[in-house]
Amino acid sequence: MLAPLGDFGAFRAGDLVTLIADTLRIPVGPQLLGRILDALGRPIDSKPLPRGLAACTDDTPAPPSLSRPPIDEALSTGVKAIDAMLTIGRGQRMGIFAGSGVGKSTLLGMLARGAEADAIVIAMVGERGREVREFAERTLGPEGIARSVIIVATSDQPAAVRVQAAWTASAIAESMRDSGKHVLLLVDSITRMAMAQRELSLAAGEPVTTRGYTPSVFSLLPRLIERAGRTESGSITAFYSVLVEGDDMNEPIADTVRGLLDGHIVLSRGLANEAHWPAIDVLESVSRLQPHLVESHVMAAAESLRKDLAEYQRHAELISIGAYRPGVQPQLDRAIAIRESAQSLLRQGSNECYSLEQSQSALVAMGQVVPPVR
């Protein structure tokens, strides 16, 4: 079975096919920073490829399990809600789960601008064509582009190209990690890559399983995700966005990816409708490595805030209609007392950036608030 990587002329059964290479070779090197490439590693920003690039295959195996050092260094992302409540480590793999129009691309742009990384590799898989330049110029800005490599496969390109974009981005990120860099890998979105793989495998005659997805889709996801992580030479901290269908967080791709990652960030449409940006639902989100990355008093403050947010959420209707009388439940009194401070911690403008220390200090200070006696 042959799948095209672009437009070509007429052909028919019986035409001669010549194999010119048994694997794709991707140009890699630090000289790629600041460039925008297609899924095959060719420039699309009207400039030639720089000299001195090496070439590597796009399908290298994941690092062996025992060669991966433990993740023990926190990464400052510049986003308060993540650094305080969902602390990320260098080499961790996270998912950003969101429906359409909830601020997923904006959050990825905030991570690209604010995260402490030596290099950033961004894969735009299945995006609308107009969003590529807009993301580069408006969301990233000159400083973000200068330390980034952007791999683009728009929605109108063949399915094989959309799948290839994620592999190419991973290969470039691996080459930078192997040279000793701390790399931030952003893939937007892994769902569109899975849809493209489904398109290819259905054409090849694979059987259909859950919601029309084929077995090769579910075997492809761990092969891609396991390539990120920390090694003895460097690290790849990866964020994979998951575009959930109908805001269903348990649909097949979301459920599979969640089980492969080291945590997940859920963006809530309800918070977005309230102009709460970024629309991170910290009660539905988790970083599995946070207990190993922060000091005990910071972890205690994060758990305390989670309890307060959950308590307020359970009684939100009573509070909104004025049916709750202060002094009845001390836990709820505290949740009401810190409500404004909690909202301030979890909200942030898209152009704002905070250090890990600032975010965690604000979190700890909130734990010292004493509700007024009434």
Side-chain angles (χ1 to χ4, degrees):
M1 301 298 295
L2 302 180
L5 295 175
D7 295 330
F8 50 88
F11 65 96
R12 64 181 180 180
D15 284 351
L16 180 66
V17 175
T18 303
L19 180 66
I20 61 174
D22 58 2
T23 186
L24 180 64
R25 306 289 291 182
I26 302 296
V28 297
Q31 303 94 319
L32 289 177
L33 293 177
R35 302 301 305 273
I36 304 177
L37 312 175
D38 68 5
L40 303 181
R42 301 173 300 195
I44 59 174
D45 53 6
S46 303
K47 294 182 287 187
L49 283 175
R51 296 181 179 181
L53 295 175
C56 72
T57 59
D58 67 320
D59 57 351
T60 55
S65 300
L66 295 181
S67 69
R68 299 172 181 257
I71 297 173
D72 54 11
E73 181 184 356
L75 170 71
S76 177
T77 65
V79 181
K80 291 188 295 181
I82 296 177
D83 288 346
M85 303 295 294
L86 307 163
T87 310
I88 308 298
R90 291 194 184 276
Q92 189 168 344
R93 301 167 305 190
M94 293 289 291
I96 299 176
F97 293 71
S100 57
V102 189
K104 170 174 47 65
S105 297
T106 301
L107 178 58
L108 290 172
M110 294 172 67
L111 293 170
R113 290 192 306 272
E116 291 182 349
D118 300 324
I120 303 169
V121 181
I122 304 169
M124 303 183 69
V125 183
E127 290 289 346
R128 295 179 287 271
R130 70 163 185 83
E131 290 186 330
V132 176
R133 184 170 180 177
E134 182 177 309
F135 181 82
E137 295 182 359
R138 293 185 181 177
T139 305
L140 282 182
E143 293 183 2
I145 293 178
R147 59 177 187 149
S148 303
V149 183
I150 304 177
I151 312 300
V152 177
T154 52
S155 59
D156 61 321
Q157 293 184 294
V161 175
R162 283 176 271 144
V163 173
Q164 181 60 44
W167 294 98
T168 298
S170 295
I172 294 174
E174 286 172 331
S175 71
M176 294 184 177
R177 176 189 63 189
D178 294 342
S179 66
K181 295 182 180 296
H182 295 296
V183 184
L184 179 67
L185 173 63
L186 307 175
V187 178
D188 184 21
S189 72
I190 201 168
T191 305
R192 293 195 180 102
M193 187 203 74
M195 290 178 175
Q197 177 64 26
R198 175 176 63 181
E199 184 178 333
L200 291 173
S201 53
L202 286 175
E206 278 192 44
V208 175
T209 57
T210 309
R211 290 203 190 179
Y213 286 101
T214 54
S216 65
V217 173
F218 299 103
S219 65
L220 182 74
L221 294 174
R223 286 173 49 206
L224 176 70
I225 292 173
E226 282 294 328
R227 293 173 65 177
R230 183 183 176 189
T231 64
E232 296 291 350
S233 56
S235 66
I236 299 176
T237 305
F239 286 84
Y240 301 94
S241 74
V242 181
L243 184 62
V244 294
E245 298 180 8
D247 291 345
D248 179 9
M249 297 297 170
N250 295 314
E251 57 94 17
I253 299 302
D255 196 45
T256 300
V257 172
R258 187 166 48 240
L260 297 171
L261 297 171
D262 304 317
H264 52 273
I265 299 170
V266 176
L267 302 187
S268 164
R269 190 172 299 278
L271 292 176
N273 291 339
E274 297 173 2
H276 183 294
W277 307 111
I280 298 175
D281 187 341
V282 296
L283 295 179
E284 295 291 335
S285 307
V286 66
S287 171
R288 296 176 182 173
L289 297 180
Q290 185 180 18
H292 308 289
L293 299 171
V294 300
E295 297 181 10
S296 57
H297 69 284
V298 176
M299 192 66 207
E303 291 177 348
S304 176
L305 180 56
R306 280 181 179 273
K307 293 177 182 178
D308 292 335
L309 293 173
E311 187 72 14
Y312 188 95
Q313 188 178 79
R314 280 193 294 269
H315 299 87
E317 187 173 345
L318 289 176
I319 297 170
S320 64
I321 63 176
Y324 173 71
R325 187 176 63 189
V328 175
Q329 296 187 36
Q331 180 71 33
L332 183 54
D333 289 341
R334 172 179 166 76
I336 296 172
I338 68 167
R339 176 68 176 174
E340 186 175 341
S341 298
Q343 293 294 303
S344 176
L345 175 67
L346 301 177
R347 286 182 174 178
Q348 181 175 337
S350 60
N351 295 320
E352 298 175 356
C353 182
Y354 297 87
S355 68
L356 180 68
E357 292 74 18
Q358 288 176 316
S359 301
Q360 293 185 348
S361 296
L363 172 65
V364 172
M366 195 179 309
Q368 301 169 354
V369 174
V370 178
V373 178
R374 302 181 183 180

